[in-house]
Amino acid sequence: MRLVRRYVVLSIIVAGLFLITKLLTSGHITGSPQSQAISRDVIADKPPTRVFLWAVPRSVSTTFLISLSQSPDVQAWFEPYLFASKMEQFRLSGESIPLQWSLKITLASLSITNGYNIRDISFTWVKQQLENYNGDKNVIVKDMVKGIAGKFNHIPNGYAHTFLIRHPLRVFVSYKQKHNTEGSVNKGLKLTEYSSDWIPSGYFFKEMYDLVHHIQDDLKLKVIIIDSDELLDNPEEMIKAYCKETGLTYRDAMLNWKPNNDIWWKWMLPKETSLKWWWRSIYYGYNPTHKTSFSQSGFGEKMDLPDDVDDDVRELAQASMKYYNELFTQRLQVASYESH
C-alpha cells in the first residue's frame, strides 16, 4: 500500500512538472485574479459594474459570456454557485470525492495559479468572494438558476441581476440532444427520467421565475431580461442595449472573436476545470465541453422551432411556457422588437 501511495505522489509530481512546463511555454500560467484585476486600463471616474447573468440551460449563455469577456476591463466568473451546489452534494452525502477526480484537483492546484481550488468552494465562500472583490474591473458572474435555487440568502449584495431566457421547446430539444450521447449517464433516457441533479423540479423555468420575483419583490431591485433568440437575431443592438442598461462598456470585439480561443483562462472557475478544458482543447483541437460556443467566431443562427418533438420534450416545454411567457413580457427590447 505504501508503494502505491508513493507511486501516486510521484505520478502527480511528474505530471505537474510536465503541465507547468507546457503551460508556461503556452503562456497560460498567469498571475492571481487579484493582481490581474489591478492592471487594467481604468476608465476614469467610472466605478466598476457588478452584474449577474442568470440563465437556463442551452440559452447561449456561455457564448454571451465569451462575447462580454472580449472587453479587457471584465473579470468573468463561470457558474460558481452551480459548482458550489455540486460540492455541497458531496458534503451532505458524506461521500468522498472519487480518487480520479481528486488526483485531477491536486494536479491542477500544482500547475495552475488562476482560479480556485474546488474543494474550497461553498455557497458562503462564493458570496464572500463576490462581495469582497476590490479590484477595478467590471465583474460579470454567469450562473445557472439551478445553482442558486433554495439558496437566495447567499446572493451577494451590490450586484445588478440580468437573465437570459429561451423558448422552452428550443431549450429542451437542445438539452436532450446534448445529453443523449455516448458516455452520458442520461443516454437513452427520457427527460422525465432525468434525476434532479440534471433537471430540477421546476424544469429550470420555475426556478428562474422564482428568482426574478425574489429580486423584484424581496430585494426591490430592477431585473433585465434578454431573450436569447432575439440576441441571436440582432446581437449588435441587443448587446449595446444590455451594456447601456448594466453600465458595461460596449466594444465591437463583442460581436466577433477568434474561434477556439482559450478565453476561459481569464475566467474565475475551478483550476481543475481549466485544466480539463485546456487538455481537451489540445487533444480534440477544440473544447468539447462547450464545443459550439468555443468553436464559433461570433453568435450563431437561431434554431427554428421544431414541428415534431418527443413527448417528453413537449411535456416539459408545456409545463414551462407559463413562466417563460411572463418573463418574456418583461424582456429588454430594442427598436426591431418593440412592435411585437
Side-chain angles (χ1 to χ4, degrees), residues 285-302:
Y286 57 85
N287 184 342
T289 307
H290 296 277
K291 177 181 177 181
T292 301
S293 296
F294 285 115
S295 62
Q296 294 178 158
S297 59
F299 290 90
E301 298 294 325
K302 179 177 69 177

Side-chain angles (χ1 to χ4, degrees), residues 98-239:
L99 177 60
Q100 184 179 9
W101 188 20
S102 181
L103 291 175
K104 290 178 181 178
I105 294 172
T106 302
L107 180 57
S109 68
L110 290 171
S111 57
I112 297 174
T113 57
N114 195 27
Y116 53 85
N117 191 320
I118 197 169
R119 289 191 180 97
D120 297 333
I121 196 170
S122 66
F123 286 99
T124 300
W125 183 89
V126 174
K127 181 180 180 182
Q128 290 174 344
Q129 292 293 310
L130 294 177
E131 285 186 339
N132 295 336
Y133 174 79
N134 60 3
D136 55 4
K137 284 192 174 186
N138 297 320
V139 180
I140 301 174
V141 186
K142 179 259 193 188
D143 220 321
M144 311 308 289
V145 290
K146 177 181 179 294
I148 198 65
K151 301 287 185 178
F152 292 168
N153 59 308
H154 291 287
I155 295 174
N157 296 314
Y159 282 75
H161 294 271
T162 68
F163 297 81
L164 194 58
I165 60 175
R166 191 186 191 189
H167 193 287
L169 270 180
R170 293 189 176 97
V171 166
F172 293 118
V173 166
S174 179
Y175 196 76
K176 188 173 183 179
Q177 288 174 346
K178 177 177 174 61
H179 294 291
N180 189 28
T181 55
E182 291 296 335
S184 171
V185 297
N186 296 312
K187 180 173 174 56
L189 296 180
K190 297 179 179 180
L191 292 178
T192 49
E193 298 173 329
Y194 284 26
S195 74
S196 59
D197 291 341
W198 296 93
I199 299 180
S201 59
Y203 305 150
F204 304 112
F205 286 89
K206 175 62 163 59
E207 285 74 20
M208 177 168 280
Y209 174 89
D210 289 343
L211 179 56
V212 166
H213 280 278
H214 172 71
I215 299 298
Q216 291 177 320
D217 302 337
D218 299 329
L219 301 185
K220 308 299 182 183
L221 296 174
K222 176 183 177 181
V223 301
I224 300 167
I225 300 174
I226 297 284
D227 184 82
S228 67
D229 294 323
E230 295 182 349
L231 174 63
L232 294 176
D233 275 344
N234 193 355
E236 181 175 355
E237 293 305 316
M238 291 300 297
I239 294 174

Side-chain angles (χ1 to χ4, degrees), residues 13 17 19-20 23 57 74 92 94 107 113 141 158 163 169 194 219 222 228 234 243 245 252 290 293 309-310 331:
I13 293 173
L17 290 173
L19 276 171
I20 290 171
L23 290 167
V74 163
L92 293 177
L107 180 57
T113 57
V141 186
F163 297 81
L169 270 180
Y194 284 26
L219 301 185
K222 176 183 177 181
S228 67
N234 193 355
C243 288
E245 290 289 330
D252 289 338
H290 296 277
S293 296
V309 298
D310 296 336
R331 76 197 187 284

Side-chain angles (χ1 to χ4, degrees), residues 248-297:
L248 295 171
T249 303
Y250 171 79
R251 300 173 189 272
D252 289 338
M254 294 176 176
L255 300 177
N256 295 282
W257 52 85
K258 182 180 177 181
N260 294 319
N261 66 64
D262 47 9
I263 191 72
W264 72 81
W265 287 107
K266 300 179 182 179
W267 295 352
M268 280 293 291
L269 72 166
K271 295 180 180 182
E272 177 266 340
T273 302
S274 291
L275 180 63
K276 178 174 64 178
W277 287 2
W278 173 78
W279 173 248
R280 289 179 174 180
S281 68
I282 297 297
Y283 184 81
Y284 293 102
Y286 57 85
N287 184 342
T289 307
H290 296 277
K291 177 181 177 181
T292 301
S293 296
F294 285 115
S295 62
Q296 294 178 158
S297 59

